[in-house]
Amino acid sequence: MPNFKGKHQVLRFDRILCDVPCSGDGTIRKCPNNARTWNMRSALKLHCVQLIIAKRGLELLDVNGYMVYSTCAMNPVENEAIIAELLRKAKGSVELVDVSDKLPNLLRRPGVTTWKITDGRRWYSDSTDVGNSQTVIETAFPPTLEENKKFQLEKCVRIYPHLQDTGAFFIALLKKNSSITGRFRTGVKTNWFRP
C-alpha cells in the first residue's frame, strides 16, 4: 500500500477472520441436497485453496495478532489438516490458542488428531500409502505422533449439529508470535488434481 512519500509498505492486521470456501458437509442438515453432491474429491480439491488462503492470512497478520480459521465443513482434510500444515510451516512462529474456556454454554468437541483419506477408490492411512495417486496430497494427512504433541489440534473447536440444533462448524484460533515472512514461500501445488 503506498504511503504519502510514494513508497510501498506492507499492510498488516491485528485480527483476521479466515472463513474459507469449503465443501459444506456441515450444512447437510439445512441443505439436504448437499448430501447427494458431496464427495471427498471436492474436499481434496478445496484443500489447496484453503491452505493458500490461510497461509496468506498469516502472512498479512501482524506479530501478536490473531487469526480465526473457520469452515462449515466437518472433514478434517479441510480443517485440522490445514491447521497442522500452517503450524508445520510456521516452525513455532504461530501457535494454536486454547479457547475451551470461552463461551462455556456453547456445546462443542475438540479437534481430531487422526483420520483416513479416500480418493474414491481406496482408503489411505498416511502419505506413504498413496504412491502415484493424482488426487491425494501429503498435506491432507494427519500429523505424526510427534507433531500431534507439538500442535495440540485438540484446541480446535468442532460444533456438531446434534449438540445444539445447529449446523456444523469448525473453528481454530491462531496467534502469530513472530514473523514468518519467507517461511511460506514454498507454496502449495495447485495443479495436482486431475478431474
Side-chain angles (χ1 to χ4, degrees):
M1 176 173 204
N3 62 20
F4 290 108
K5 295 179 183 175
K7 296 181 181 179
H8 289 274
Q9 58 189 98
V10 177
L11 186 61
R12 302 271 183 224
F13 301 90
D14 63 349
R15 303 288 188 272
I16 293 178
L17 173 59
C18 191
D19 188 26
V20 297
C22 67
S23 65
D25 60 354
T27 64
I28 288 173
R29 192 168 188 206
K30 72 176 182 181
C31 302
N33 285 340
N34 287 357
R36 285 187 287 258
T37 59
W38 188 92
N39 64 62
M40 186 64 176
R41 291 172 66 110
S42 64
L44 287 166
K45 280 198 287 187
L46 285 166
H47 174 85
C48 287
V49 173
Q50 294 160 335
L51 193 51
I52 289 167
I53 293 169
K55 281 183 175 185
R56 185 64 179 146
L58 285 178
E59 288 172 348
L60 294 173
L61 190 63
D62 206 0
V63 173
N64 294 318
Y66 292 91
M67 181 176 90
V68 172
Y69 176 87
S70 61
T71 72
C72 58
M74 287 290 93
N75 187 334
V77 168
E78 300 180 68
N79 297 322
E80 286 90 350
I82 300 293
I83 300 304
E85 182 63 8
L86 293 174
L87 294 170
R88 188 178 293 116
K89 292 290 186 189
K91 297 182 172 106
S93 295
V94 175
E95 70 175 296
L96 186 55
V97 178
D98 185 0
V99 294
S100 60
D101 62 333
K102 309 295 183 217
L103 300 169
N105 293 329
L106 179 66
L107 301 177
R108 64 187 104 197
R109 296 292 182 263
V112 298
T113 58
T114 61
W115 57 89
K116 291 183 179 183
I117 298 174
T118 183
D119 60 5
R121 292 181 291 279
R122 69 179 267 227
W123 286 90
Y124 304 100
S125 296
D126 61 55
S127 59
T128 59
D129 293 343
V130 175
N132 293 327
S133 173
Q134 296 296 314
T135 58
V136 180
I137 59 170
E138 190 173 336
T139 57
F141 286 95
T144 64
L145 291 175
E146 183 180 310
E147 288 176 325
N148 264 331
K149 290 177 188 170
K150 191 169 37 172
F151 298 163
Q152 300 177 339
L153 293 176
E154 306 83 21
K155 292 179 180 178
C156 297
V157 175
R158 292 179 148 264
I159 300 170
Y160 292 111
H162 66 280
L163 295 177
Q164 51 201 15
D165 198 25
T166 65
F169 213 65
F170 175 87
I171 307 161
L173 180 62
L174 298 163
K175 182 181 181 194
K176 185 175 181 179
N177 295 317
S178 61
S179 178
I180 55 172
T181 304
R183 289 194 181 143
F184 284 172
R185 297 287 180 224
T186 55
V188 177
K189 188 176 176 186
T190 56
N191 61 347
W192 61 272
F193 183 79
R194 294 182 188 150

